[in-house]
Amino acid sequence: SDQFRVLKNRNWLLIEPIVEQKQIIRIVEHTDAVLTFDNIVLRFQQVAAGHEIKNDSQQALLNLKKLSFPLIVRKWKTGDYFYPLGMKKKKLTEKEQQWVVESDKKIVWVVGRRIDERFKIEENTTDRLLVTISQQS
């Protein structure tokens, strides 16, 4: 149909109207950047080797040496997958309204959720990129 689509979500089939959405893409060209959109603020900053974060879905601490700039911030699209931290298998992200951070066509962080296993901080990682999400005030 040109008005409805069917989505498979686990064991359910969802029928919903087709809504044309313009793909919004934001580009991060360097380590110190701030993006503001959709009432959220994403801050990117390089941090020292000793910098640690608590288990917080509002922050992502990434291995800077494994990233390729520019980073792309965009909504999820069909075919996207990533390797959730702590898992060896790839997983589809299922929320079309979900923002992702991408590096060299690989999803680095499903914003507000988990980072990709391939971009995690390791014991000898000295160059780190901290990305935080907050609500726009």
Side-chain angles (χ1 to χ4, degrees):
S1 166
D2 60 347
Q3 295 179 348
F4 294 92
R5 66 183 182 163
V6 177
L7 298 173
K8 184 175 187 252
N9 186 350
R10 296 181 181 88
N11 295 326
W12 298 91
L13 292 177
L14 306 172
I15 299 172
E16 64 179 32
I18 295 174
V19 178
E20 291 295 323
Q21 293 184 355
K22 191 169 80 172
Q23 181 67 279
I24 299 171
I25 295 174
R26 303 284 190 250
I27 297 174
V28 179
E29 295 184 15
H30 48 81
T31 57
D32 294 313
V34 177
L35 298 179
T36 304
F37 55 91
D38 278 2
N39 293 325
I40 62 172
V41 178
L42 275 181
R43 285 184 171 72
F44 297 78
Q45 67 184 86
Q46 188 169 353
V47 294
H51 189 92
E52 299 291 335
I53 61 171
K54 295 182 180 175
N55 189 8
D56 182 355
S57 63
Q58 303 304 298
Q59 298 182 18
L61 189 58
L62 305 167
N63 188 330
L64 186 57
K65 287 189 177 180
K66 292 186 178 182
L67 297 173
S68 297
F69 282 83
L71 300 178
I72 306 293
V73 178
R74 61 168 176 79
K75 294 269 181 112
W76 173 94
K77 63 184 178 186
T78 303
D80 276 350
Y81 66 88
F82 78 119
Y83 295 85
L85 184 63
M87 297 176 70
K88 299 297 181 205
K89 296 181 181 178
K90 62 184 173 183
K91 180 177 180 179
L92 294 175
T93 56
E94 297 171 323
K95 304 288 185 190
E96 290 183 348
Q97 298 305 309
Q98 179 65 55
W99 288 98
V100 297
V101 176
E102 173 187 304
S103 172
D104 196 25
K105 299 184 182 177
K106 297 177 193 86
I107 294 178
V108 173
W109 185 33
V110 177
V111 177
R113 296 185 186 268
R114 292 175 111 170
I115 68 168
D116 187 292
E117 175 77 22
R118 298 169 290 182
F119 299 92
K120 71 181 180 183
I121 298 297
E122 297 170 345
E123 195 172 308
N124 61 350
T125 304
T126 56
D127 297 327
R128 300 167 182 218
L129 182 69
L130 176 64
V131 186
T132 57
I133 181 175
S134 60
Q135 295 296 316
Q136 187 176 13
S137 45

